[in-house]
Amino acid sequence: ALSMARTALAGRESALTPSLNSSDAGWMSAPMPSSWAICRAMATLYTHAAVGLVLGRVCFARRMPPAFWVLAGLLPIVLDLDAFSDAPYGSALGHRGFTHSLCFALVVGFAAAAATFRYFKANVWTLGCLFFFITATHGVLDALTKGGEGIPFFWPVSEHRFGPWGPIQVADIAD
């Protein structure tokens, strides 16, 4: 039974091992088993939450209540609620629209701080800046993908979109 498990695992390893001679992005283009499709499609939600949690840990050395960590993980994800909008993709009301702007991140971040600073025993401005920064990272990460629409960072002043600039693969929820 052990040798059969090793053989099965060896077959999976070869499917996951990237070709070093490939002209592609190496490990980023390695094939994934189809059973991993759900993980791949949801990775962006996890990535946005992980960034918020890491920034929360970096900025607050003292022990924080569990509600703080829930907010630090959820605030960056809130911006993707626009995916449920009926507005066309690419419009200000559609996905990657005004909810990904710095103005929206500022409002969400300071609203969350104003509602929780007493409970967290933190300075409202410090907490507001942290929550703003945590929320704004969502738009930055989305702009660093290599697909989709750019991000209107300066909405409502300008609807100019920035990105896509980078190497991060876009996770297609439809997969």
Side-chain angles (χ1 to χ4, degrees):
L2 186 57
S3 68
M4 286 175 47
R6 285 185 186 149
T7 304
L9 187 58
R12 274 227 169 151
E13 284 177 9
S14 64
L16 295 175
T17 305
S19 169
L20 296 178
N21 296 328
S22 172
S23 62
D24 284 355
W27 64 271
M28 292 175 60
S29 62
M32 280 190 194
S34 60
S35 62
W36 290 16
I38 293 172
C39 295
R40 184 183 57 189
M42 295 178 64
T44 57
L45 293 178
Y46 295 132
T47 305
H48 291 306
V51 169
L53 293 170
V54 167
L55 289 172
R57 181 67 185 121
V58 167
C59 293
F60 276 94
R62 69 181 171 94
R63 188 173 178 91
M64 296 300 285
F68 173 83
W69 300 110
V70 169
L71 270 176
L74 284 180
L75 284 174
I77 295 172
V78 167
L79 281 64
D80 269 343
L81 289 177
D82 64 1
F84 299 107
S85 169
D86 288 336
Y89 183 74
S91 72
L93 297 176
H95 184 55
R96 288 193 175 184
F98 81 93
T99 61
H100 287 56
S101 71
L102 295 174
C103 181
F104 188 79
L106 187 71
V107 169
V108 168
F110 274 92
T116 60
F117 78 98
R118 286 187 183 96
Y119 178 72
F120 295 146
K121 297 179 178 97
N123 179 291
V124 69
W125 297 107
T126 303
L127 196 60
C129 288
L130 172 64
F131 285 167
F132 159 69
F133 191 60
I134 284 174
T135 307
T137 61
H138 182 112
V140 173
L141 285 175
D142 278 5
L144 291 174
T145 61
K146 62 179 180 178
E149 288 284 328
I151 307 300
F153 284 119
F154 300 109
W155 179 93
V157 175
S158 169
E159 290 204 24
H160 177 75
R161 293 178 175 265
F162 297 85
W165 293 315
I168 301 171
Q169 191 72 22
V170 175
D172 186 6
I173 295 174
D175 275 353

PDB file of all heavy atoms in Angstrom, residues 21 27 43 47 64 76 86 88-89 103 117 156:
ATOM      1  N   ASN A  21      12.998  24.840 -18.501  1.00  0.00           N
ATOM      2  CA  ASN A  21      13.409  25.300 -19.823  1.00  0.00           C
ATOM      3  C   ASN A  21      12.297  26.069 -20.522  1.00  0.00           C
ATOM      4  O   ASN A  21      12.456  26.524 -21.625  1.00  0.00           O
ATOM      5  CB  ASN A  21      13.812  24.102 -20.700  1.00  0.00           C
ATOM      6  CG  ASN A  21      15.019  23.401 -20.128  1.00  0.00           C
ATOM      7  OD1 ASN A  21      15.874  24.047 -19.521  1.00  0.00           O
ATOM      8  ND2 ASN A  21      15.087  22.086 -20.292  1.00  0.00           N
ATOM      9  N   TRP A  27       7.234  28.510 -12.629  1.00  0.00           N
ATOM     10  CA  TRP A  27       6.319  27.936 -11.644  1.00  0.00           C
ATOM     11  C   TRP A  27       4.908  28.484 -11.755  1.00  0.00           C
ATOM     12  O   TRP A  27       3.953  27.839 -11.399  1.00  0.00           O
ATOM     13  CB  TRP A  27       6.846  28.133 -10.227  1.00  0.00           C
ATOM     14  CG  TRP A  27       6.940  29.565  -9.834  1.00  0.00           C
ATOM     15  CD1 TRP A  27       8.000  30.388 -10.016  1.00  0.00           C
ATOM     16  CD2 TRP A  27       5.934  30.356  -9.209  1.00  0.00           C
ATOM     17  NE1 TRP A  27       7.723  31.642  -9.558  1.00  0.00           N
ATOM     18  CE2 TRP A  27       6.464  31.645  -9.043  1.00  0.00           C
ATOM     19  CE3 TRP A  27       4.644  30.107  -8.763  1.00  0.00           C
ATOM     20  CZ2 TRP A  27       5.753  32.672  -8.457  1.00  0.00           C
ATOM     21  CZ3 TRP A  27       3.941  31.136  -8.177  1.00  0.00           C
ATOM     22  CH2 TRP A  27       4.496  32.397  -8.031  1.00  0.00           C
ATOM     23  N   ALA A  43      -8.373  31.780  -4.784  1.00  0.00           N
ATOM     24  CA  ALA A  43      -7.095  32.231  -4.241  1.00  0.00           C
ATOM     25  C   ALA A  43      -7.038  33.744  -4.047  1.00  0.00           C
ATOM     26  O   ALA A  43      -6.419  34.208  -3.111  1.00  0.00           O
ATOM     27  CB  ALA A  43      -5.952  31.768  -5.136  1.00  0.00           C
ATOM     28  N   THR A  47      -5.802  35.695  -0.849  1.00  0.00           N
ATOM     29  CA  THR A  47      -4.641  36.575  -0.956  1.00  0.00           C
ATOM     30  C   THR A  47      -4.941  37.950  -0.385  1.00  0.00           C
ATOM     31  O   THR A  47      -4.145  38.499   0.376  1.00  0.00           O
ATOM     32  CB  THR A  47      -4.196  36.709  -2.430  1.00  0.00           C
ATOM     33  OG1 THR A  47      -3.969  35.408  -2.957  1.00  0.00           O
ATOM     34  CG2 THR A  47      -2.953  37.545  -2.554  1.00  0.00           C
ATOM     35  N   MET A  64      -4.298  41.829  19.906  1.00  0.00           N
ATOM     36  CA  MET A  64      -5.564  42.455  19.519  1.00  0.00           C
ATOM     37  C   MET A  64      -6.691  41.425  19.619  1.00  0.00           C
ATOM     38  O   MET A  64      -6.459  40.231  19.453  1.00  0.00           O
ATOM     39  CB  MET A  64      -5.480  42.992  18.086  1.00  0.00           C
ATOM     40  CG  MET A  64      -4.469  44.118  17.899  1.00  0.00           C
ATOM     41  SD  MET A  64      -4.816  45.567  18.904  1.00  0.00           S
ATOM     42  CE  MET A  64      -6.186  46.281  18.045  1.00  0.00           C
ATOM     43  N   PRO A  76     -10.269  43.950   3.083  1.00  0.00           N
ATOM     44  CA  PRO A  76      -9.812  43.906   1.692  1.00  0.00           C
ATOM     45  C   PRO A  76     -10.744  43.121   0.765  1.00  0.00           C
ATOM     46  O   PRO A  76     -10.747  43.344  -0.435  1.00  0.00           O
ATOM     47  CB  PRO A  76      -8.449  43.215   1.762  1.00  0.00           C
ATOM     48  CG  PRO A  76      -8.118  43.049   3.181  1.00  0.00           C
ATOM     49  CD  PRO A  76      -9.332  43.298   3.983  1.00  0.00           C
ATOM     50  N   ASP A  86     -25.112  44.434 -11.255  1.00  0.00           N
ATOM     51  CA  ASP A  86     -25.651  44.222 -12.599  1.00  0.00           C
ATOM     52  C   ASP A  86     -25.044  45.192 -13.608  1.00  0.00           C
ATOM     53  O   ASP A  86     -25.284  45.062 -14.808  1.00  0.00           O
ATOM     54  CB  ASP A  86     -27.170  44.390 -12.590  1.00  0.00           C
ATOM     55  CG  ASP A  86     -27.880  43.234 -11.894  1.00  0.00           C
ATOM     56  OD1 ASP A  86     -27.299  42.134 -11.836  1.00  0.00           O
ATOM     57  OD2 ASP A  86     -29.003  43.445 -11.397  1.00  0.00           O
ATOM     58  N   PRO A  88     -22.379  46.955 -16.092  1.00  0.00           N
ATOM     59  CA  PRO A  88     -21.401  46.325 -16.982  1.00  0.00           C
ATOM     60  C   PRO A  88     -19.977  46.401 -16.422  1.00  0.00           C
ATOM     61  O   PRO A  88     -19.594  47.385 -15.783  1.00  0.00           O
ATOM     62  CB  PRO A  88     -21.502  47.117 -18.283  1.00  0.00           C
ATOM     63  CG  PRO A  88     -22.426  48.239 -18.035  1.00  0.00           C
ATOM     64  CD  PRO A  88     -23.033  48.097 -16.700  1.00  0.00           C
ATOM     65  N   TYR A  89     -19.228  45.334 -16.660  1.00  0.00           N
ATOM     66  CA  TYR A  89     -17.825  45.290 -16.263  1.00  0.00           C
ATOM     67  C   TYR A  89     -17.092  46.421 -16.962  1.00  0.00           C
ATOM     68  O   TYR A  89     -17.260  46.650 -18.137  1.00  0.00           O
ATOM     69  CB  TYR A  89     -17.228  43.937 -16.668  1.00  0.00           C
ATOM     70  CG  TYR A  89     -15.801  43.745 -16.256  1.00  0.00           C
ATOM     71  CD1 TYR A  89     -15.478  43.511 -14.929  1.00  0.00           C
ATOM     72  CD2 TYR A  89     -14.774  43.790 -17.184  1.00  0.00           C
ATOM     73  CE1 TYR A  89     -14.165  43.316 -14.535  1.00  0.00           C
ATOM     74  CE2 TYR A  89     -13.467  43.602 -16.809  1.00  0.00           C
ATOM     75  CZ  TYR A  89     -13.163  43.362 -15.476  1.00  0.00           C
ATOM     76  OH  TYR A  89     -11.862  43.173 -15.093  1.00  0.00           O
ATOM     77  N   CYS A 103     -10.663  56.519  -2.696  1.00  0.00           N
ATOM     78  CA  CYS A 103     -11.730  57.230  -1.980  1.00  0.00           C
ATOM     79  C   CYS A 103     -12.626  56.235  -1.249  1.00  0.00           C
ATOM     80  O   CYS A 103     -12.953  56.427  -0.076  1.00  0.00           O
ATOM     81  CB  CYS A 103     -12.536  58.066  -2.967  1.00  0.00           C
ATOM     82  SG  CYS A 103     -13.867  59.002  -2.207  1.00  0.00           S
ATOM     83  N   PHE A 117     -12.797  51.762  17.269  1.00  0.00           N
ATOM     84  CA  PHE A 117     -11.573  52.203  17.951  1.00  0.00           C
ATOM     85  C   PHE A 117     -11.665  52.098  19.466  1.00  0.00           C
ATOM     86  O   PHE A 117     -10.677  51.799  20.140  1.00  0.00           O
ATOM     87  CB  PHE A 117     -11.145  53.613  17.506  1.00  0.00           C
ATOM     88  CG  PHE A 117     -11.927  54.734  18.116  1.00  0.00           C
ATOM     89  CD1 PHE A 117     -11.434  55.418  19.215  1.00  0.00           C
ATOM     90  CD2 PHE A 117     -13.143  55.131  17.569  1.00  0.00           C
ATOM     91  CE1 PHE A 117     -12.143  56.476  19.765  1.00  0.00           C
ATOM     92  CE2 PHE A 117     -13.850  56.181  18.112  1.00  0.00           C
ATOM     93  CZ  PHE A 117     -13.361  56.851  19.216  1.00  0.00           C
ATOM     94  N   PRO A 156     -13.652  59.715  -7.447  1.00  0.00           N
ATOM     95  CA  PRO A 156     -14.473  60.341  -8.479  1.00  0.00           C
ATOM     96  C   PRO A 156     -13.786  61.487  -9.216  1.00  0.00           C
ATOM     97  O   PRO A 156     -14.379  62.078 -10.105  1.00  0.00           O
ATOM     98  CB  PRO A 156     -15.670  60.848  -7.691  1.00  0.00           C
ATOM     99  CG  PRO A 156     -15.131  61.213  -6.349  1.00  0.00           C
ATOM    100  CD  PRO A 156     -14.027  60.222  -6.104  1.00  0.00           C
TER     101      PRO A 156
END
